Amino acid sequence: MKRVIALCVLVALAGAAAACDGDTPTTPTTPTTDNTPQPVYSVVLSTASEVPPVGGSEAGGSGTATVTFNLTRDAGGTVTAAALDVTVNASGFPPGTALTASHLHPGAAGSNGGVFVSFGLTAGEVVFANGSGSFTKRGVTLTVDQANAIMANPGGYYLNIHTASNPNGVARGQLTRAN
């Protein structure tokens, strides 16, 4: 009788483990309540895309960025909360270049706009010791209205990075939907 009970327990445990196989837990930075994929945007950063274009020692800089939205949706698919993760990779800057800020701005290519979403980067937090480097900011809060506006017209928004030599922006690029 003990063997039958032990066998039943083993079969139940094996069934429970198989049912969980492949499950991926949802992390706090990617909340979802449905199967809608999280929007991902790519950005190609260029000093020539700044308005006006950047000259001087930082003119050779460039980079890429990825912006991933972390949206919470209700049962009807309506966004109820939003945050984002951003990763920026840059190169071609003078050794020792320190970033002072990074943001999302409204504005089509060739036009400037005010700060729409700040990534919370502080002056000197990121230094390109050899002229290149990267940073990631996770869980940047944005309002549902901000998220909806960007998703409705990603090309109408740009990401840029700033330095002390170029406080209005040293490299920028428009958002492009990647998925």
Side-chain angles (χ1 to χ4, degrees), residues 2 14 22 29 32 37 45 58 63 82 91 96 132-133 135 142 158:
K2 289 181 182 180
T29 59
T32 58
L45 298 169
E58 294 180 336
S91 62
S132 64
F135 71 88
L142 62 158
Y158 64 93

Side-chain angles (χ1 to χ4, degrees), residues 51-155:
V51 180
V54 170
S57 66
E58 294 180 336
S62 64
T64 60
T66 303
V67 178
T68 304
F69 279 31
N70 301 308
L71 306 174
T72 302
R73 298 176 188 266
D74 64 17
T78 301
V79 175
T80 58
L84 62 80
D85 299 337
V86 61
T87 298
V88 173
N89 297 291
S91 62
F93 290 93
T97 297
L99 298 185
T100 57
S102 184
H103 313 104
L104 285 177
H105 302 261
S111 65
N112 289 324
V115 174
F116 194 64
V117 176
S118 174
F119 301 141
L121 190 71
T122 58
E125 180 180 345
V126 175
V127 177
F128 301 150
N130 65 359
S132 64
S134 64
F135 71 88
T136 298
K137 290 290 188 172
R138 298 193 185 283
V140 176
T141 302
L142 62 158
T143 68
V144 169
D145 289 342
Q146 287 172 316
N148 286 330
I150 294 167
M151 290 187 297
N153 181 24

Side-chain angles (χ1 to χ4, degrees), residues 1-86:
M1 184 66 165
K2 289 181 182 180
R3 288 183 183 166
V4 171
I5 293 173
L7 182 60
C8 288
V9 168
L10 285 175
V11 169
L13 287 173
C20 292
D21 188 38
D23 286 353
T24 303
T26 302
T27 62
T29 59
T30 56
T32 58
T33 56
D34 64 9
N35 291 325
T36 305
Q38 299 291 6
V40 177
Y41 301 91
S42 62
V43 179
V44 176
L45 298 169
S46 168
T47 57
S49 295
E50 283 291 350
V51 180
V54 170
S57 66
E58 294 180 336
S62 64
T64 60
T66 303
V67 178
T68 304
F69 279 31
N70 301 308
L71 306 174
T72 302
R73 298 176 188 266
D74 64 17
T78 301
V79 175
T80 58
L84 62 80
D85 299 337
V86 61

